[in-house]
Amino acid sequence: MAPTPSTHSGTSSARRSRSGSPDPLASNAGTALPYATRTALHLKGLVPSGVENFGVQEQRALEQLNMKSTNLEKYIFLSWLRTTNINLFYRLVLHNLKEIAPVIYTPTVGQACQEYSHIYPFLAPPNAVDGLYIPLTEVDNIDEIIANYRESIAEGDEPEITVITDGSRILGLGDLGMNGMGIPVGKLQLYVAAAGLNPDRCLPIVLDFGTNTTKYLEDPLYLGLRQKRPDDAAFYAAANRVVQALHSAFPDMFIQFEDFSTDHAFGLLDQWRQKALCFNDDIQGTGCVILGGFISAVEQAGIPAQDHRILFVGAGSAGVGVAKQLVDYFVIEHKIPEDKAKAMFWFVDSRGLITANRGDKLADHKIYFARNDNGDVQCKSLAETLEYVKPTALIGLSTIHKAFNEEILTRMSEVNTDNRPIVFPLSNPETKAECSFEEAMRCTDNRVLFASGTAFPEYTIPETGEERVPGQGNNMYVFPPIGLGAVLCKPTHITDTMIYAVSKALANSLNEDEKACGELYPRIERIRQVAAELAAAFIHQAAREGVAKDDKWIQLAADFPSSSASDASSSPDGTYSAAMLDEVKRFMWEPAETFEQLRSCCPHYHHHPVVVHSADEQNKVDERL
C-alpha cells in the first residue's frame, strides 16, 4: 500500500517539539498561536501578546539570518531554527532556496563538519534528538539504540529514509570522524526542501567508528570516539550489523550511504543493493546528475557523440561512478558498443595516466578504465596526459584546487577549436574545485560548456556585457527525487537503468529559456517542479522493470506505455505520464501557510480545540496581521 497523501503532502511537521516546549503545536506556531489557543494551552501571560501570521515570522527570521556576518554563523542559526520551529525553517528555505542551499549544504556544510564538535551544543536545544550517533563500541546494542529512537518520535513517524555516513571521506576534506554528522543532516534537509520528503520521517545517522585524523583525536572538544578506525574485517562486521538491524526494524526504509571511504563505499553498495532499498549518492548520484548535464553538453558541443574523448582527473568512487554512467549513455543513447564506449575515457590519478602496464597495483575499481592501448607511453602529469589524449571533455573529481590552471584550460581550448570544450570541475567545496567559472570562460574565449560541483557566481563577458550563468552539477537535483520515488513506489532495489532514467528526465527538464541561454541544468528556483518530474520518471522506470511493489504506481505506469522499445532495462527513456506527475506532487510535503493548516493537516495536532474567536479578539488579530 502507498502512504496516504497526508503522509507526504499537507502542510506541517508532526514531530514532537525538540525545543523543550510542552506542546509541539505551540512550538511550530510560535507567535502565530491564536489567543484562544494560548488560553487553552495555559500560555496566557507567558509569551508576548502579539499574534502574527507566518509571513511576518519569516520576515523576522530572514532579517536575523542576514545579520549574521559569516556563513557558519548562518548555519548555526538555521540549525537552531530547524530544531525549534521546523515549519518556519522550511518556509524560509523554500522561499529563499538559492541563497540558503549553500548555507545548509555545500559549501558551508564542509566548514560546519570541521567544526562540528565545537558548535554541536549550539545547533539544537539540550537533549534534542536529531539523529543517531552509533559508536563502534555500542554496535552490539544497536537494537537498544533503535528502540531508544522509537521512543523519541511521535507515533506514526517511523523513518522512511535515512542518510548514513561514517565520516571517513567528507566532501574533499578527508576523515572527520563523528564530525561528519553534518552531512546526513544537510542531505536530509535537501530531501525535504527539493522533493517534499516528510521531515518527521527522515533519520540522519553517523557511524562513529573512530578517526585516523590526529587533529580530532587530540582535540579536547572532539565528541566522537578517540580511537583509530578498525580494519576492513571489523568495519564490515560492524557496518553490516547496523544496516541489518535498521533494515529489520524499518524494512521499507530507503537507505542512502554517504561519504564512506572509496573501497567501503563500493563494498557496502555491492553487499546491500540487492538485499535492501539502498543507494550511494557518491557513486550513483554524482554520476546521475553529471550525466544529465553531460547529455545537454554533448548536444551543444558541435561534434558527433562518438568522436568525444573524455579525460577524468581523479579516480575515486565518485569519478569511476560518473564515468561508468557516461559509458552507459553512449551505449544506450548512441548504440556504441561497450568496449568502444569505454575506450572513449582516460583517467588521471596521483601517479598520472592510469594504464594496465604502469607498474603499480591498481585498486579494483580502477581496473575497468585502465588503458591497454598506450604501448610504452606513460604520462606522469595532467599536462602530459592532455597533450597525449587531446580531450574534448575534461572532468575533475580530484579535490585538487586549481588543478585546471590557466595552462590546462588554455590548451583545452586550443585542442578544441572546431567544437566547444566541455569542462566540469566537480570537486566540493569551492576550496577543492579544479577551477572557477570565470577562469574557464576567460581561458576558452567564453566558449566553454561548464558545470561545477560547487556554486560559482555568474560571469559578465567584458566585451559584450552579456551575463552567463554557470551550470552546477549539484547532486541535489537528483538524490531528492530518487529518494521520493523510492519511498513512494517501494521498489525491491534500485537498478542502474532507473538511475539512468532520472538523468534523461533531468536533461529533458530544461525549458526553452534555459536552452536558449546554453544552460546545462534547470534553474534552482524550479527545483521542486523538476524533482517531481524526475521522481515520476524514476517510478515509471521502476514499474516498467517490474521492481516497483505498490500497485497504484504500477497501474499508473501501465496506463502510459513507454515510447521506446519494450525491453525496459535496455531503453530507459525518462518518460512519465501527466497522471503520474500529478500523483507524485500530491505526496510532496510542504510547510504550513497558516495556523489553521498547521493544526488541521497534522494528525498529531488534532487533539487541540477548534478555536472560534470572538469578534473583538479577531479584530485584534487582524489589526496585528
Side-chain angles (χ1 to χ4, degrees):
M1 294 293 291
T4 60
S6 61
T7 302
H8 289 275
S9 62
T11 51
S12 178
S13 170
R15 178 169 293 176
R16 292 178 182 175
S17 170
R18 290 170 292 183
S19 65
S21 167
D23 188 275
L25 179 60
S27 175
N28 280 281
T31 54
L33 202 64
Y35 289 121
T37 306
R38 295 180 186 191
T39 299
L41 297 177
H42 306 288
L43 294 175
K44 185 181 292 186
L46 304 184
V47 294
S49 60
V51 177
E52 302 174 320
N53 62 25
F54 289 164
V56 174
Q57 290 183 346
E58 191 178 330
Q59 179 184 348
R60 180 183 292 107
L62 187 60
E63 177 186 77
Q64 289 297 308
L65 179 66
N66 290 333
M67 290 174 64
K68 308 302 178 185
S69 59
T70 69
N71 278 343
L72 185 60
E73 290 176 323
K74 293 179 179 181
Y75 178 94
I76 294 170
F77 170 80
L78 288 169
S79 179
W80 188 275
L81 180 62
R82 179 178 58 83
T83 54
T84 54
N85 189 332
I86 201 167
N87 190 71
L88 176 56
F89 170 79
Y90 280 110
R91 284 178 55 85
L92 197 67
V93 171
L94 287 174
H95 295 159
N96 304 274
L97 186 60
K98 186 175 182 180
E99 294 77 19
I100 292 181
V103 177
I104 61 175
Y105 204 60
T106 57
T108 307
V109 73
Q111 182 185 3
C113 285
Q114 290 174 309
E115 302 292 335
Y116 199 80
S117 287
H118 292 247
I119 65 176
Y120 171 78
F122 315 109
L123 300 178
N127 301 317
V129 177
D130 198 27
L132 297 183
Y133 297 80
I134 305 175
L136 182 64
T137 53
E138 295 289 345
V139 166
D140 287 342
N141 298 316
I142 183 61
D143 293 332
E144 179 185 352
I145 292 172
I146 292 173
N148 291 342
Y149 181 74
R150 286 184 187 274
E151 291 179 5
S152 76
I153 60 177
E155 184 180 353
D157 281 350
E158 288 195 350
E160 57 191 4
I161 179 171
T162 183
V163 177
I164 182 170
T165 186
D166 71 344
S168 58
R169 193 185 61 84
I170 296 297
L171 302 174
L173 302 173
D175 182 357
L176 304 190
M178 184 284 305
N179 290 336
M181 181 55 146
I183 294 297
V185 170
K187 283 271 185 177
L188 287 166
Q189 291 172 41
L190 296 181
Y191 271 107
V192 176
L197 272 293
N198 187 336
D200 291 338
R201 307 187 69 181
C202 295
L203 175 59
I205 300 176
V206 62
L207 302 179
D208 183 8
F209 286 6
T211 178
N212 292 336
T213 302
T214 303
K215 171 184 175 182
Y216 298 119
L217 292 174
E218 296 179 351
D219 182 356
L221 298 183
Y222 180 60
L223 290 169
L225 278 183
R226 296 177 184 274
Q227 63 184 51
K228 295 284 188 177
R229 290 188 176 275
D231 60 24
D232 283 355
F235 167 82
Y236 281 115
N240 289 334
R241 173 76 176 88
V242 171
V243 175
Q244 182 60 63
L246 290 169
H247 182 56
S248 297
F250 312 114
D252 289 328
M253 183 171 68
F254 173 72
I255 300 171
Q256 181 190 313
F257 298 114
E258 180 72 18
D259 284 356
F260 285 83
S261 64
T262 297
D263 290 344
H264 291 168
F266 279 100
L268 284 172
L269 184 63
D270 287 345
Q271 287 189 35
W272 286 98
R273 65 180 306 176
Q274 298 295 329
K275 301 176 185 176
L277 183 55
C278 66
F279 167 78
N280 185 299
D281 189 41
D282 302 305
I283 298 171
Q284 298 164 289
T286 300
C288 179
V289 73
I290 300 314
L291 174 56
F294 190 78
I295 292 172
S296 298
V298 167
E299 292 173 352
Q300 299 180 43
I303 58 173
Q306 65 269 21
D307 293 341
H308 276 282
R309 299 178 302 281
I310 301 105
L311 175 58
F312 272 76
V313 182
S317 61
V320 172
V322 169
K324 285 185 175 180
Q325 285 171 278
L326 299 191
V327 169
D328 289 342
Y329 160 68
F330 287 113
V331 172
I332 294 171
E333 193 75 12
H334 298 284
K335 311 305 179 186
I336 299 173
E338 182 182 350
D339 58 339
K340 292 185 178 180
K342 183 178 71 170
M344 297 164 64
F345 291 78
W346 288 258
F347 269 81
V348 169
D349 64 9
S350 60
R351 294 174 178 263
L353 178 64
I354 296 178
T355 64
N357 62 347
R358 193 168 67 176
D360 60 328
K361 178 175 173 54
L362 297 176
D364 290 345
H365 69 277
K366 296 182 181 181
I367 294 174
Y368 179 81
F369 284 106
R371 302 298 301 195
N372 293 292
D373 58 355
N374 56 301
D376 295 330
V377 175
Q378 301 293 342
C379 301
K380 298 296 180 64
S381 67
L382 173 57
E384 286 183 49
T385 307
L386 193 147
E387 287 298 325
Y388 174 64
V389 175
K390 294 182 171 53
T392 59
L394 183 62
I395 299 178
L397 281 156
S398 67
T399 71
I400 299 174
H401 190 48
K402 305 296 184 184
F404 301 168
N405 57 32
E406 184 174 346
E407 175 190 356
I408 294 294
L409 292 169
T410 300
R411 189 61 183 141
M412 187 70 184
S413 181
E414 292 170 351
V415 300
N416 289 283
T417 55
D418 296 331
N419 54 279
R420 297 180 67 182
I422 299 170
V423 177
F424 282 18
L426 301 176
S427 294
N428 273 313
E430 184 177 348
T431 55
K432 303 288 185 179
E434 288 81 6
C435 71
S436 69
F437 182 48
E438 178 181 353
E439 291 162 347
M441 289 289 284
R442 284 193 291 101
C443 293
T444 62
D445 296 324
N446 308 313
R447 298 185 305 115
V448 69
L449 292 165
F450 180 94
S452 60
T454 194
F456 284 108
E458 298 173 354
Y459 176 73
T460 302
I461 300 175
E463 296 79 8
T464 64
E466 181 183 357
E467 196 171 73
R468 294 284 183 86
V469 178
Q472 185 185 0
N474 194 317
N475 291 27
M476 71 180 289
Y477 281 112
V478 298
F479 69 77
I482 289 171
L484 176 62
V487 165
L488 292 180
C489 77
K490 295 179 173 54
T492 55
H493 61 285
I494 295 174
T495 67
D496 290 340
T497 39
M498 288 158 65
I499 303 295
Y500 184 93
V502 173
S503 297
K504 282 284 290 180
L506 178 60
N508 294 340
S509 72
L510 290 171
N511 61 31
E512 292 306 315
D513 182 48
E514 290 159 347
K515 292 177 183 177
C517 294
E519 297 172 22
L520 303 182
Y521 292 99
R523 290 167 191 161
I524 198 71
E525 293 84 355
R526 296 201 303 117
I527 197 165
R528 293 275 288 198
Q529 171 64 28
V530 171
E533 295 173 9
L534 271 56
F538 176 94
I539 294 170
H540 182 79
Q541 184 65 25
R544 288 183 66 208
E545 295 184 29
V547 298
K549 294 190 296 185
D550 189 276
D551 290 340
K552 177 178 70 176
W553 302 102
I554 294 171
Q555 187 58 51
L556 281 169
D559 292 341
F560 182 75
S562 176
S563 59
S564 58
S566 58
D567 183 1
S569 62
S570 65
S571 58
D573 54 16
T575 60
Y576 51 85
S577 67
M580 178 82 77
L581 179 60
D582 289 343
E583 190 66 8
V584 167
K585 288 180 177 179
R586 284 206 316 128
F587 282 82
M588 293 174 71
W589 180 93
E590 57 185 10
E593 295 293 328
T594 67
F595 171 77
E596 287 306 316
Q597 287 181 352
L598 181 69
R599 182 190 173 280
S600 64
C601 292
C602 179
H604 299 285
Y605 297 157
H606 285 175
H607 66 280
H608 286 287
V610 175
V611 177
V612 179
H613 299 294
S614 68
D616 288 343
E617 186 179 46
Q618 187 62 54
N619 288 337
K620 292 178 182 178
V621 173
D622 292 341
E623 288 173 3
R624 292 183 181 276
L625 301 185

